[in-house]
Amino acid sequence: MSNKHVLALPYPAQGHVNPFMNFSHEIAKHGSKITFVSTEFCHMQMMSAMAPGKDSLLGSKINLVSISDGLCPEDDRNDFRKLFVSVFATMPTRLEELIRGINNATNGEGKISCIIADLNMGWAMEVANKMGIRGAILWPASAACIALITRIPNLIDDGFIDSNGTPMQRRAIQLHSGIPAVYPQNLPWNCSPDQATQKCIFNYVLRYAEDLKLADWWLCNTAYELEPAAFSLVPKLLPVGPIMASDQTRNVGGQFLPEDTSCLNSL
């Protein structure tokens, strides 16, 4: 991947942005240029939280840019239904505009050659496919979760959930003997506060499950030894974990709040 220009696009939440930033630093060590794309809301949080003196180290390896998620500054980003609808409606076009601007400014040198997107931002693979750019999905959680997502059609056919993701029976779902069982009512979208939000999140998951098929590479923040059963169900998945910060990259972007080291004074 040396001398390549990689665009990294995490889902706008702390647990997703942080591993994406750490992964971006690892890619940068191999000579790649990184354009790290955040929503404007997350970008402001990251810049405010960055440790003093760390911006030059970050700037030499990774370029932080932002695009709008379509919401107003005062809107609640924890309202997933509002956030998902706004992201779908605005960010694909703005990401494409950003990439075209970067590519035009490079005069043929240093164009975006790969997009690495969070699975929750799987629509970016549609943008990559449209623009002729290689694409990779990076999932910062477990491989078992991806195995479950790729089998949603089977869950519907087997009567565990209906076409809206609503539980249809209380029998536990057992994808593999090596993966803990889960009950339909405990699936991520069924932990929503109301039925409208549940349906919205489920449709969001369905869409990025389809976009996953457009990616050239499927990456996951885990190790094969931790989840061999899940990898047997999703053979295309590549383990790249654990993704962790090094001493050189601690508190260099990716955090929404400044690091509090006051507790160390008592040690």
Side-chain angles (χ1 to χ4, degrees):
M1 195 173 284
S2 178
N3 299 319
K4 300 296 184 180
H5 190 169
V6 178
L7 184 146
L9 180 69
Y11 177 74
Q14 179 66 94
H16 295 252
V17 172
N18 193 40
F20 254 80
M21 180 60 73
N22 293 330
F23 188 66
S24 295
H25 278 286
E26 291 301 316
I27 296 175
K29 290 179 183 178
H30 295 279
S32 294
K33 179 180 180 180
I34 311 295
T35 293
F36 194 91
V37 183
S38 306
T39 63
E40 292 173 350
F41 185 81
C42 291
H43 181 80
M44 289 188 293
Q45 290 179 299
M46 290 164 59
M47 297 305 293
S48 297
M50 200 175 299
K54 294 290 189 179
D55 53 340
S56 60
L57 173 61
L58 179 62
S60 66
K61 298 178 179 180
I62 300 171
N63 182 33
L64 295 181
V65 301
S66 64
I67 55 178
S68 174
D69 58 15
L71 296 176
C72 298
E74 64 273 14
D75 284 332
D76 181 9
R77 266 73 183 177
N78 292 319
D79 184 335
F80 296 118
R81 182 167 42 150
K82 180 184 290 187
L83 177 62
F84 292 164
V85 170
S86 184
V87 164
F88 272 144
T90 61
M91 290 191 72
T93 299
R94 289 172 181 174
L95 180 65
E96 184 176 341
E97 291 172 350
L98 173 68
I99 294 172
R100 293 194 186 282
I102 292 173
N103 290 347
N104 291 337
T106 60
N107 296 318
E109 296 293 331
K111 287 186 175 182
I112 301 292
S113 55
C114 180
I115 296 175
I116 301 179
D118 193 296
L119 178 56
N120 285 326
M121 306 294 268
W123 52 262
M125 295 299 100
E126 299 176 32
V127 176
N129 190 261
K130 177 182 178 181
M131 303 184 73
I133 301 172
R134 305 295 295 276
I137 286 292
L138 173 59
W139 179 239
S142 70
C145 187
I146 290 187
L148 178 67
I149 289 169
T150 60
R151 279 161 175 74
I152 287 177
N154 303 87
L155 299 182
I156 295 174
D157 291 341
D158 293 340
F160 286 104
I161 57 176
D162 66 14
S163 58
N164 291 320
T166 304
M168 298 299 291
Q169 54 181 283
R170 293 187 175 276
R171 183 163 56 93
I173 299 167
Q174 186 79 62
L175 296 180
H176 188 285
S177 60
I179 299 177
V182 60
Y183 287 91
Q185 60 268 30
N186 293 328
L187 294 171
W189 53 84
N190 287 326
C191 298
S192 307
D194 57 80
Q195 190 171 12
T197 300
Q198 172 250 303
K199 183 177 179 180
C200 177
I201 295 176
F202 182 69
N203 288 335
Y204 190 93
V205 173
L206 284 180
R207 176 165 176 173
Y208 69 59
E210 286 300 308
D211 289 332
L212 183 62
K213 300 174 184 178
L214 300 176
D216 296 286
W217 301 281
W218 299 4
L219 313 176
C220 188
N221 182 18
T222 187
Y224 178 83
E225 292 78 8
L226 292 175
E227 303 184 81
F231 281 102
S232 71
L233 296 178
V234 192
K236 185 176 179 178
L237 196 61
L238 301 174
V240 295
I243 301 173
M244 302 174 67
S246 66
D247 290 339
Q248 291 75 33
T249 61
R250 283 180 65 250
N251 210 14
V252 183
Q255 303 292 343
F256 289 176
L257 294 172
E259 184 177 28
D260 183 1
T261 58
S262 60
C263 61
L264 299 178
N265 296 332
S266 60
L267 298 180

